Amino acid sequence: MTDLNILSRLAETIEARKLADANSSYVAKLFHGGHDKILKKIAEESAETLMASKDGNVEQVVYETADLWFHCLVLLAYHGLTPDDVLQELARREGISGIEEKASRTTG
């Protein structure tokens, strides 16, 4: 079984590198580029994941999903959040029908 602590370790690495020199760290380069740069990367990685799926290339789906998850971890760090925040939300939803959960959300 894969080590599930990998998300926490990646989040710690991202946190440690976000203020580094942008010439020496990809994470720092993303943070230096700001919110829009991070969002653009997520959109790009999302599209690549979708295309890999559409092409039926399961190995590429895994590769691109890893890129997407990584960039989502960067976005979480940008907002001062961690994977635990997302895992807590998933735990809150566990056992609740997706239809029921969506209906319980407030609209605004």
Side-chain angles (χ1 to χ4, degrees):
M1 177 163 191
T2 303
D3 179 3
L4 297 179
N5 291 320
I6 186 68
L7 293 176
S8 293
R9 289 195 307 272
L10 279 171
E12 289 170 7
T13 299
I14 290 166
E15 193 64 32
R17 293 184 181 167
K18 70 183 187 181
L19 298 176
D21 180 0
N23 292 320
S24 66
S25 167
Y26 176 69
V27 170
K29 187 175 185 177
L30 287 171
F31 272 88
H32 182 73
H35 194 220
D36 286 347
K37 175 81 170 179
I38 296 167
L39 293 176
K40 184 177 178 182
K41 282 304 297 180
I42 290 175
E44 176 186 318
E45 298 303 341
S46 295
E48 290 172 358
T49 303
L50 294 171
M51 293 310 298
S53 179
K54 186 164 178 59
D55 292 344
N57 185 337
V58 294
E59 292 163 356
Q60 200 64 21
V61 169
V62 170
Y63 181 86
E64 296 300 345
T65 300
D67 282 352
L68 177 58
W69 284 17
F70 173 80
H71 288 89
C72 286
L73 290 172
V74 171
L75 180 67
L76 288 172
Y78 178 85
H79 288 286
L81 300 168
T82 69
D84 281 341
D85 294 303
V86 177
L87 293 173
Q88 287 175 18
E89 176 59 17
L90 289 172
R92 183 191 69 78
R93 295 180 187 186
E94 187 175 19
I96 300 171
S97 155
I99 294 170
E100 290 173 21
E101 195 282 328
K102 189 171 183 176
S104 74
R105 296 181 200 172
T106 58
T107 58

